[in-house]
Amino acid sequence: MVAPSSTKDIQREGDNLCHCVSSYVKRVIDGTTLIFFLRKIKNKDESMITMEVRDGSVVQCRGMHNRKTTKEEDEAIKTFAEKQKLKLSY
């Protein structure tokens, strides 16, 4: 899991995956939403899944063109959520 270091990272993620995460930038700036990127260890620059965390819960995870997560991706998200003490609500 990778946290974006700037709003440009969030915009680039939306462009790469053809979804609307860039519309969440204001929420990230306001501190109401956190965004994380699921990446493969071998290629941390390749967009796979974008995750939204709000109020201590993973509320949304989406891939290319808003596709839902695979079982393998769900396992990685679950592991991350457990380590961060986050609920899964997506």
Side-chain angles (χ1 to χ4, degrees), residues 3-12 25 37:
S5 59
S6 70
T7 57
K8 286 186 180 189
D9 289 346
I10 296 170
Q11 291 169 332
R12 191 175 314 111
V25 166
F37 308 145

Side-chain angles (χ1 to χ4, degrees), residues 37-52:
F37 308 145
L38 177 64
R39 301 287 196 259
K40 290 187 178 182
I41 292 172
K42 294 179 181 178
N43 192 355
K44 292 182 182 178
D45 293 328
E46 183 180 339
S47 298
M48 289 178 52
I49 295 293
T50 309
M51 180 173 71
E52 178 189 4

Side-chain angles (χ1 to χ4, degrees), residues 9-78:
D9 289 346
I10 296 170
Q11 291 169 332
R12 191 175 314 111
E13 179 83 349
D15 290 344
N16 290 345
L17 294 178
C18 301
H19 61 40
C20 67
V21 72
S22 62
S23 68
Y24 290 70
V25 166
K26 184 177 179 337
R27 295 180 201 175
V28 171
I29 291 170
D30 292 344
T32 58
T33 290
L34 298 172
I35 298 293
F36 294 95
F37 308 145
L38 177 64
R39 301 287 196 259
K40 290 187 178 182
I41 292 172
K42 294 179 181 178
N43 192 355
K44 292 182 182 178
D45 293 328
E46 183 180 339
S47 298
M48 289 178 52
I49 295 293
T50 309
M51 180 173 71
E52 178 189 4
V53 175
R54 190 174 55 231
D55 298 325
S57 292
V58 177
V59 296
Q60 188 171 194
C61 298
R62 293 287 187 251
M64 179 69 81
H65 298 289
N66 281 325
R67 76 162 173 83
K68 294 186 179 187
T69 52
T70 65
K71 288 181 183 182
E72 181 182 2
E73 292 162 344
D74 282 336
E75 285 301 315
I77 292 163
K78 181 180 175 184

